[in-house]
Amino acid sequence: MNPPKHFAWSDRSLSPDERAEMVIKEMTLDEKIQLLHGLGWQAIFSQPECGPATRTISVLGFIPGIPRLGIPDLQMTDSNQGVSGAGVKGRYATAFPSGEAMASAWDTALSYEIGTQLGHEMRDMGFNMSLGSGINMIREPRDGRTFEYKGEDPLLAGTLAGSELKAEKALHLITDVKHYAVNDQDAGRIVVNSIISKRAMQESDLLAFQIALKDSGAGAVMCSYNKINGIYACENPYTLHDVLTKQFDFKGFVISDWGATQSTVKAAMAGLDVEMPGNDSFGAPLKKAVESGEVPMDRLNDMVRRVLRTEFDSGIVDDPPQPGSPDVMRGFAIAQKTEERGEVLLKNKGSVLPLHAASIQSIAVIGGHADVGVISGGGSSQVSPAGGNPVPPPPALLKDPLASFMLVQVYQRSAPLKGIEAKAPHAVVQFNSGSDPASAAALAGKSQVAIVFAVQHESEGMDLPNLSLPDHQDALIEAVAAANPRTIVVLETGGPVLMPWIDKVAAVVEAWYPGIRGSQAIANLLFGDVNPSGRLPLTFPRSEADLPHPIHLAPPKPDPGHPVPKLAGAPGMVGVMMGIGPFFDVHYDEGLKVGYKWYDAQKKAVLFPFGFGLSYTTFAYSGLTVKPGEPSTVSFTVSNTGSRAGVETAQVYASFPESAGEPPKRLVGWSKVELAPGESKQVSVSVDRDRLSIFNESSNAWELVPGKYVIRVGSSSRDLPLEKQIEF
Ligand code: GLC
């Protein structure tokens, strides 16, 4: 292989901005334009035999580089819970547990490990840009992409995504945070207009991005399909220029979601830098706009500089990926660790769990295709199932490639039944599909325990009709529980579900989408080889009537007479993916009261609260002290008062002075503590001043309101035994 050509800008002692500036001076207008858009749908769908498209790994995510100047192609891939679509190119990728499972671990070190594995696998396949981590707030738990995201709190989501993306960047990838912003439902996502106040945005959705960008140094932000207060997110001067560029001091580039670019001049002047995957706006039309002066050359150079400086800053120029074989075993290990730390024990009546392998004689395993695999989420984040989907979809679905993109339920080949059988070799373990509740109940009735796996498929591009388990699974669980009081429910869901049977079952485990080692991770929890330590990153409400929007605002019926927003001419995409028809407004009147903040403010009981999760041991809290400062230090003692080792996630919340106009409390920090039986540890949590501040719309800045604050500490947002008042 020829040694890389040396350029003046190859000098690594120069800053990314200096190096970018040097390249720009050498570029033609056409070369500048070329860096700012994808190949265009025609190239994508025609897959030409020659030209830059032949260099693509994934034709949907490609921007040709400038070889004469040593600027590499941009090879992009989705990587929310694994390198998406690797299988369609004959490659293997680790299928990680879903974003909510990652979030349930509350573990920044683990997030860094996940990012490292994702980064290695992306580079092994030749990718140099990750389309990153989704951190939209779970305002609307019926959002079809809940499974991809990291819960309802901006500090938790932003911190975990920041750690994951920091690891990817350390491996010399361009990383990206998405979908910016307030893209908090997916039904009708290109015709929905999110209406929300600036303060509410700043203290919820935008804060998650601010934290993730600050912690990771990510080089790209993906703007979303929706409108925000009447202006498309990819051409919104407030969110792109005032907030991202000025307030966040973001030096990287803004890339559109796929087909989310709605104009040339308006978008370029608002702060969009790159159109993907098309070129309808930033191809010839951008060149024309520059030549006419509608887009000044200064702004064009700024767009190009942001891309180039990010390429130098990320390391993709100096250290391009060298294709290799993914470390499958390390992927298995981290996927298993993620699920073992992310699965949440929600109920364990009479300590029915852990099961005792030596003494148990008969186990009924029911439903959820537990005999062949674990479910995963649909859409762009879908990781190809190694060995193929063990649950063949209805043939009709496969006829429409875009419908199948969302609606085919893909299982990863990690069968919980096999994990359970391996743990209890002396027991009679029988599987029942659950398709006939009476036959499932009969098996349960003659078994010592019954384990029901209940699944809820979610996908990008659509939302759930409700929060109930689909396909009559509630009836199945009721029938099994009536036949055997020692019924354990294992949920494989994208987000929260209603549980009308909760009082009739003995135990409930939320396993989310468990990933390629879900079988082992779930069995380890059920048989006690792992002490569950997951804590909910989002609230499980008692009823949809308790949600901020009891009636889910799905797009109005398509109205043929209504102009459909441009979606870069993608054939079929609009009809299937996004919902079409007139724009509709979603008034996020709950504002910054997302998730637990809403239920606290409304004084509503919940099924399971934010931060909740049981263990096979118990913990106690004592000795709270608070030292105000920058940062403030919150110290306390956590004790393991049970009979086995365990990991507690000690959470710190703050309640504000009345005058601050805040909900009853806000998460301001946490710490994971590993404790042997009887052991106690002193824990200290630093709380930044910003975490105790509010966003003041008139001064357009974060401010700490003087007054009396209460710091509360405990094991969930609804179990905070320690509190201390402090004055700022
Ligand atoms: C999709 C998704 C986005 C993804 C992109 C590329 O529409 O919204 O998350 O990164 O297109 O696949």
Side-chain angles (χ1 to χ4, degrees), residues 3 82 95 111 129 135 151 163 251 254 285 326 335 430 561 585 588 703-704:
S111 290
M129 179 170 174
I135 52 172
S163 186
K251 301 262 188 266
V254 177
Q430 290 178 283
D585 294 342
Y588 286 128
E703 286 170 7
L704 189 135

Side-chain angles (χ1 to χ4, degrees), residues 39-50 53-54 56-60 89:
L39 285 178
W41 293 103
Q42 279 49 48
I44 288 164
F45 287 103
S46 64
Q47 294 275 354
E49 299 309 310
C50 59
T54 56
T56 65
I57 301 172
S58 164
V59 72
L60 265 169
K89 291 160 213 69

